[in-house]
Amino acid sequence: MDFRRKKEEESASAPKGSSAAISEALFQGTKCIFEKISHLAKASEMENEIRRNMDEWKTCTIKIAISGSSGTGKSSFINAFRGLQDYDTDAAPVGTNETTMDPTVHRHPGYPNIELWDLPGVGTPTFPKETYLRKINVDTYDFFLLMTCTRFYDDDRWLAKEIISRKKRCYFLRTKIDDDIRNGKRSKKDFNTAEWLEDNKRKSLKDLYDGGVSNPVVFLISSAWPMQYDFVALQQQLIDDSPALKREAVVLSLTAISEKMLKGKLEVLKSRIGKHSTLAVLGSLVPIPIVGWKVNYAVMKNAVELYREQFGIDDKSLMKVAHQKCVSLEKLKQDLCLESDKIFRSQGDFFNFCEEAYDQALVGTFAKAIPIVGSIISAVKTAPAAAAIQNKLLDLCYKEACRAFQYQSE
């Protein structure tokens, strides 16, 4: 795909400014200022409060329990879910000879609040049904994933019913789908992948229904190919079923392996622009030359670093893509026409970007409409400017992420 031409088309079709979006960001940012400024003696106290609020998702622990017998592919799934290859340093050890004797936690390398717990299979001499729930501390997990690479048995159905009775979310994962499809193609000349997938899911659902499991949800996955089959659907299900207080944490902690996931991250990051803008406003309230500008610069730089990391276009993520495509990192960036990492190369580059974003958004009218005097005027003018710049930064990173996703899919 000609990503340079695609980028030019995106630029040509991009809106020159969204007064509604800027107005909302202005409202949210200034509202926070005027509500808090009378209660806090120092702007730094308010800044700390906002930063704690923005980082709260990082402390929201999500515990995902994964149960299945040895050889079902639990370790490979744990690695794929965390965006790791089986050979990476932080990867869970893979091998059918490994047997889980105790619940073992594997944290996401970038977001340690996401915990994947490898549980022993139920129904073994060491973990009989009579003591299984107590030994695994069943009430401590947010989600349960019950895995098999063949079919679901009585012990799986028993565990599912116990979990559901405790009002916990439980999903069934039929793993190693790619192996089954490959074997099917070798054994049948007219093998139809779509029909096989549909038939396999139908049989799995029937087994579970017949075993007394109410409303079972089955995903057919391949840990070797997470962008295929139901891996993406599983991610989305976890997001949809997360409690409201934990949903943001789940969205920001999962690796984006689909365009739908990219859009989900975009929505969450847009909702945070008001808070970022408020931090920029606080810089204007500092009565020390240069300090205010440095605060604004740091806020913007931190924001774009977060956007690039979330969308998988930071250098660490791109290095993996470059390795898969057998190209250098610089060649990959050039092919994808990435610019988000160049904005903060110098003060001049940053000023040019800010000036363009400010002019496009036509934000001057908002500042003039607010009849307030003193240093607060400077702060209010900063709010729409900061919102305009961050909207442009976020839009740029999102479009780059979409191009990178298409590049990986080719």
Side-chain angles (χ1 to χ4, degrees), residues 21-42:
I22 302 304
S23 179
E24 175 63 18
L26 169 61
F27 172 74
Q28 294 296 337
T30 54
K31 177 183 177 184
C32 183
I33 290 174
F34 298 125
E35 286 181 349
K36 297 289 185 178
I37 202 73
S38 60
H39 301 293
L40 298 174
K42 298 179 181 179

PDB file of all heavy atoms in Angstrom, residues 21-42:
ATOM      1  N   ALA A  21     -15.642  20.224  19.810  1.00  0.00           N
ATOM      2  CA  ALA A  21     -14.641  19.477  20.581  1.00  0.00           C
ATOM      3  C   ALA A  21     -13.785  20.427  21.409  1.00  0.00           C
ATOM      4  O   ALA A  21     -13.507  20.184  22.584  1.00  0.00           O
ATOM      5  CB  ALA A  21     -13.754  18.650  19.649  1.00  0.00           C
ATOM      6  N   ILE A  22     -13.367  21.538  20.790  1.00  0.00           N
ATOM      7  CA  ILE A  22     -12.521  22.491  21.518  1.00  0.00           C
ATOM      8  C   ILE A  22     -13.306  23.149  22.642  1.00  0.00           C
ATOM      9  O   ILE A  22     -12.821  23.344  23.749  1.00  0.00           O
ATOM     10  CB  ILE A  22     -11.983  23.555  20.546  1.00  0.00           C
ATOM     11  CG1 ILE A  22     -11.200  22.882  19.421  1.00  0.00           C
ATOM     12  CG2 ILE A  22     -11.086  24.537  21.276  1.00  0.00           C
ATOM     13  CD1 ILE A  22     -10.077  22.017  19.887  1.00  0.00           C
ATOM     14  N   SER A  23     -14.549  23.487  22.354  1.00  0.00           N
ATOM     15  CA  SER A  23     -15.383  24.118  23.372  1.00  0.00           C
ATOM     16  C   SER A  23     -15.576  23.199  24.569  1.00  0.00           C
ATOM     17  O   SER A  23     -15.526  23.629  25.721  1.00  0.00           O
ATOM     18  CB  SER A  23     -16.746  24.486  22.771  1.00  0.00           C
ATOM     19  OG  SER A  23     -17.576  25.078  23.741  1.00  0.00           O
ATOM     20  N   GLU A  24     -15.808  21.900  24.290  1.00  0.00           N
ATOM     21  CA  GLU A  24     -15.993  20.944  25.375  1.00  0.00           C
ATOM     22  C   GLU A  24     -14.715  20.813  26.199  1.00  0.00           C
ATOM     23  O   GLU A  24     -14.756  20.761  27.435  1.00  0.00           O
ATOM     24  CB  GLU A  24     -16.386  19.582  24.804  1.00  0.00           C
ATOM     25  CG  GLU A  24     -16.489  18.464  25.839  1.00  0.00           C
ATOM     26  CD  GLU A  24     -17.569  18.695  26.875  1.00  0.00           C
ATOM     27  OE1 GLU A  24     -18.475  19.532  26.614  1.00  0.00           O
ATOM     28  OE2 GLU A  24     -17.519  18.058  27.938  1.00  0.00           O
ATOM     29  N   ALA A  25     -13.566  20.744  25.505  1.00  0.00           N
ATOM     30  CA  ALA A  25     -12.294  20.638  26.222  1.00  0.00           C
ATOM     31  C   ALA A  25     -12.056  21.888  27.062  1.00  0.00           C
ATOM     32  O   ALA A  25     -11.578  21.817  28.195  1.00  0.00           O
ATOM     33  CB  ALA A  25     -11.149  20.434  25.229  1.00  0.00           C
ATOM     34  N   LEU A  26     -12.385  23.049  26.499  1.00  0.00           N
ATOM     35  CA  LEU A  26     -12.250  24.300  27.241  1.00  0.00           C
ATOM     36  C   LEU A  26     -13.129  24.270  28.483  1.00  0.00           C
ATOM     37  O   LEU A  26     -12.704  24.622  29.589  1.00  0.00           O
ATOM     38  CB  LEU A  26     -12.650  25.473  26.340  1.00  0.00           C
ATOM     39  CG  LEU A  26     -12.812  26.842  27.024  1.00  0.00           C
ATOM     40  CD1 LEU A  26     -11.503  27.275  27.640  1.00  0.00           C
ATOM     41  CD2 LEU A  26     -13.322  27.875  26.030  1.00  0.00           C
ATOM     42  N   PHE A  27     -14.378  23.861  28.305  1.00  0.00           N
ATOM     43  CA  PHE A  27     -15.324  23.814  29.421  1.00  0.00           C
ATOM     44  C   PHE A  27     -14.819  22.902  30.533  1.00  0.00           C
ATOM     45  O   PHE A  27     -14.802  23.278  31.700  1.00  0.00           O
ATOM     46  CB  PHE A  27     -16.679  23.340  28.928  1.00  0.00           C
ATOM     47  CG  PHE A  27     -17.671  23.084  30.043  1.00  0.00           C
ATOM     48  CD1 PHE A  27     -18.271  24.137  30.719  1.00  0.00           C
ATOM     49  CD2 PHE A  27     -17.958  21.781  30.421  1.00  0.00           C
ATOM     50  CE1 PHE A  27     -19.161  23.889  31.759  1.00  0.00           C
ATOM     51  CE2 PHE A  27     -18.847  21.540  31.455  1.00  0.00           C
ATOM     52  CZ  PHE A  27     -19.449  22.598  32.119  1.00  0.00           C
ATOM     53  N   GLN A  28     -14.389  21.682  30.137  1.00  0.00           N
ATOM     54  CA  GLN A  28     -13.948  20.720  31.141  1.00  0.00           C
ATOM     55  C   GLN A  28     -12.692  21.200  31.851  1.00  0.00           C
ATOM     56  O   GLN A  28     -12.561  21.058  33.071  1.00  0.00           O
ATOM     57  CB  GLN A  28     -13.689  19.354  30.481  1.00  0.00           C
ATOM     58  CG  GLN A  28     -14.933  18.681  29.932  1.00  0.00           C
ATOM     59  CD  GLN A  28     -15.928  18.324  31.010  1.00  0.00           C
ATOM     60  OE1 GLN A  28     -15.568  18.174  32.171  1.00  0.00           O
ATOM     61  NE2 GLN A  28     -17.195  18.193  30.623  1.00  0.00           N
ATOM     62  N   GLY A  29     -11.755  21.756  31.066  1.00  0.00           N
ATOM     63  CA  GLY A  29     -10.504  22.211  31.669  1.00  0.00           C
ATOM     64  C   GLY A  29     -10.712  23.379  32.608  1.00  0.00           C
ATOM     65  O   GLY A  29     -10.226  23.388  33.742  1.00  0.00           O
ATOM     66  N   THR A  30     -11.438  24.396  32.155  1.00  0.00           N
ATOM     67  CA  THR A  30     -11.632  25.579  32.988  1.00  0.00           C
ATOM     68  C   THR A  30     -12.572  25.295  34.157  1.00  0.00           C
ATOM     69  O   THR A  30     -12.425  25.872  35.228  1.00  0.00           O
ATOM     70  CB  THR A  30     -12.199  26.736  32.144  1.00  0.00           C
ATOM     71  OG1 THR A  30     -13.372  26.291  31.477  1.00  0.00           O
ATOM     72  CG2 THR A  30     -11.189  27.210  31.131  1.00  0.00           C
ATOM     73  N   LYS A  31     -13.529  24.402  33.960  1.00  0.00           N
ATOM     74  CA  LYS A  31     -14.431  24.031  35.048  1.00  0.00           C
ATOM     75  C   LYS A  31     -13.628  23.471  36.217  1.00  0.00           C
ATOM     76  O   LYS A  31     -13.869  23.814  37.377  1.00  0.00           O
ATOM     77  CB  LYS A  31     -15.444  22.994  34.562  1.00  0.00           C
ATOM     78  CG  LYS A  31     -16.383  22.499  35.662  1.00  0.00           C
ATOM     79  CD  LYS A  31     -17.317  21.414  35.137  1.00  0.00           C
ATOM     80  CE  LYS A  31     -18.185  20.868  36.251  1.00  0.00           C
ATOM     81  NZ  LYS A  31     -19.043  19.751  35.775  1.00  0.00           N
ATOM     82  N   CYS A  32     -12.683  22.603  35.860  1.00  0.00           N
ATOM     83  CA  CYS A  32     -11.854  22.010  36.911  1.00  0.00           C
ATOM     84  C   CYS A  32     -11.061  23.096  37.641  1.00  0.00           C
ATOM     85  O   CYS A  32     -10.910  23.072  38.856  1.00  0.00           O
ATOM     86  CB  CYS A  32     -10.908  20.966  36.310  1.00  0.00           C
ATOM     87  SG  CYS A  32      -9.905  20.099  37.511  1.00  0.00           S
ATOM     88  N   ILE A  33     -10.576  24.080  36.894  1.00  0.00           N
ATOM     89  CA  ILE A  33      -9.776  25.153  37.501  1.00  0.00           C
ATOM     90  C   ILE A  33     -10.604  25.938  38.510  1.00  0.00           C
ATOM     91  O   ILE A  33     -10.231  26.109  39.664  1.00  0.00           O
ATOM     92  CB  ILE A  33      -9.242  26.116  36.417  1.00  0.00           C
ATOM     93  CG1 ILE A  33      -8.184  25.414  35.582  1.00  0.00           C
ATOM     94  CG2 ILE A  33      -8.634  27.365  37.051  1.00  0.00           C
ATOM     95  CD1 ILE A  33      -7.707  26.227  34.424  1.00  0.00           C
ATOM     96  N   PHE A  34     -11.759  26.408  38.054  1.00  0.00           N
ATOM     97  CA  PHE A  34     -12.535  27.305  38.902  1.00  0.00           C
ATOM     98  C   PHE A  34     -13.201  26.584  40.063  1.00  0.00           C
ATOM     99  O   PHE A  34     -13.566  27.208  41.049  1.00  0.00           O
ATOM    100  CB  PHE A  34     -13.566  28.037  38.048  1.00  0.00           C
ATOM    101  CG  PHE A  34     -12.923  28.903  36.997  1.00  0.00           C
ATOM    102  CD1 PHE A  34     -13.260  28.753  35.668  1.00  0.00           C
ATOM    103  CD2 PHE A  34     -11.966  29.837  37.355  1.00  0.00           C
ATOM    104  CE1 PHE A  34     -12.651  29.536  34.701  1.00  0.00           C
ATOM    105  CE2 PHE A  34     -11.356  30.622  36.390  1.00  0.00           C
ATOM    106  CZ  PHE A  34     -11.692  30.477  35.059  1.00  0.00           C
ATOM    107  N   GLU A  35     -13.392  25.278  39.956  1.00  0.00           N
ATOM    108  CA  GLU A  35     -13.939  24.521  41.073  1.00  0.00           C
ATOM    109  C   GLU A  35     -12.889  24.275  42.142  1.00  0.00           C
ATOM    110  O   GLU A  35     -13.182  24.234  43.331  1.00  0.00           O
ATOM    111  CB  GLU A  35     -14.503  23.188  40.582  1.00  0.00           C
ATOM    112  CG  GLU A  35     -15.822  23.311  39.845  1.00  0.00           C
ATOM    113  CD  GLU A  35     -16.351  21.962  39.410  1.00  0.00           C
ATOM    114  OE1 GLU A  35     -15.588  20.980  39.506  1.00  0.00           O
ATOM    115  OE2 GLU A  35     -17.516  21.880  38.981  1.00  0.00           O
ATOM    116  N   LYS A  36     -11.649  24.082  41.695  1.00  0.00           N
ATOM    117  CA  LYS A  36     -10.603  23.684  42.632  1.00  0.00           C
ATOM    118  C   LYS A  36      -9.749  24.848  43.133  1.00  0.00           C
ATOM    119  O   LYS A  36      -9.183  24.783  44.222  1.00  0.00           O
ATOM    120  CB  LYS A  36      -9.673  22.661  41.955  1.00  0.00           C
ATOM    121  CG  LYS A  36     -10.365  21.358  41.569  1.00  0.00           C
ATOM    122  CD  LYS A  36     -10.702  20.543  42.773  1.00  0.00           C
ATOM    123  CE  LYS A  36     -11.276  19.182  42.386  1.00  0.00           C
ATOM    124  NZ  LYS A  36     -11.576  18.347  43.557  1.00  0.00           N
ATOM    125  N   ILE A  37      -9.630  25.930  42.331  1.00  0.00           N
ATOM    126  CA  ILE A  37      -8.647  26.954  42.634  1.00  0.00           C
ATOM    127  C   ILE A  37      -8.899  27.616  43.986  1.00  0.00           C
ATOM    128  O   ILE A  37      -7.978  28.065  44.662  1.00  0.00           O
ATOM    129  CB  ILE A  37      -8.636  28.013  41.505  1.00  0.00           C
ATOM    130  CG1 ILE A  37      -7.309  28.773  41.496  1.00  0.00           C
ATOM    131  CG2 ILE A  37      -9.801  28.972  41.636  1.00  0.00           C
ATOM    132  CD1 ILE A  37      -6.163  27.993  40.999  1.00  0.00           C
ATOM    133  N   SER A  38     -10.181  27.667  44.397  1.00  0.00           N
ATOM    134  CA  SER A  38     -10.515  28.301  45.673  1.00  0.00           C
ATOM    135  C   SER A  38     -10.221  27.395  46.860  1.00  0.00           C
ATOM    136  O   SER A  38     -10.169  27.859  47.994  1.00  0.00           O
ATOM    137  CB  SER A  38     -11.994  28.717  45.691  1.00  0.00           C
ATOM    138  OG  SER A  38     -12.806  27.577  45.522  1.00  0.00           O
ATOM    139  N   HIS A  39     -10.050  26.110  46.592  1.00  0.00           N
ATOM    140  CA  HIS A  39      -9.843  25.150  47.693  1.00  0.00           C
ATOM    141  C   HIS A  39      -8.376  24.760  47.863  1.00  0.00           C
ATOM    142  O   HIS A  39      -8.010  24.210  48.901  1.00  0.00           O
ATOM    143  CB  HIS A  39     -10.674  23.890  47.450  1.00  0.00           C
ATOM    144  CG  HIS A  39     -12.146  24.153  47.350  1.00  0.00           C
ATOM    145  ND1 HIS A  39     -12.895  24.578  48.413  1.00  0.00           N
ATOM    146  CD2 HIS A  39     -12.996  24.066  46.300  1.00  0.00           C
ATOM    147  CE1 HIS A  39     -14.152  24.736  48.053  1.00  0.00           C
ATOM    148  NE2 HIS A  39     -14.249  24.437  46.760  1.00  0.00           N
ATOM    149  N   LEU A  40      -7.570  25.010  46.864  1.00  0.00           N
ATOM    150  CA  LEU A  40      -6.168  24.603  46.945  1.00  0.00           C
ATOM    151  C   LEU A  40      -5.269  25.829  47.011  1.00  0.00           C
ATOM    152  O   LEU A  40      -5.402  26.751  46.209  1.00  0.00           O
ATOM    153  CB  LEU A  40      -5.788  23.747  45.732  1.00  0.00           C
ATOM    154  CG  LEU A  40      -6.564  22.430  45.592  1.00  0.00           C
ATOM    155  CD1 LEU A  40      -6.201  21.746  44.291  1.00  0.00           C
ATOM    156  CD2 LEU A  40      -6.268  21.516  46.766  1.00  0.00           C
ATOM    157  N   ALA A  41      -4.359  25.850  47.948  1.00  0.00           N
ATOM    158  CA  ALA A  41      -3.514  27.021  48.132  1.00  0.00           C
ATOM    159  C   ALA A  41      -2.468  27.147  47.044  1.00  0.00           C
ATOM    160  O   ALA A  41      -2.067  28.234  46.684  1.00  0.00           O
ATOM    161  CB  ALA A  41      -2.841  26.957  49.506  1.00  0.00           C
ATOM    162  N   LYS A  42      -2.047  26.040  46.483  1.00  0.00           N
ATOM    163  CA  LYS A  42      -0.984  26.075  45.487  1.00  0.00           C
ATOM    164  C   LYS A  42      -1.408  25.327  44.229  1.00  0.00           C
ATOM    165  O   LYS A  42      -2.071  24.294  44.301  1.00  0.00           O
ATOM    166  CB  LYS A  42       0.291  25.442  46.039  1.00  0.00           C
ATOM    167  CG  LYS A  42       0.867  26.174  47.250  1.00  0.00           C
ATOM    168  CD  LYS A  42       2.120  25.472  47.748  1.00  0.00           C
ATOM    169  CE  LYS A  42       2.695  26.166  48.968  1.00  0.00           C
ATOM    170  NZ  LYS A  42       3.908  25.457  49.468  1.00  0.00           N
TER     171      LYS A  42
END
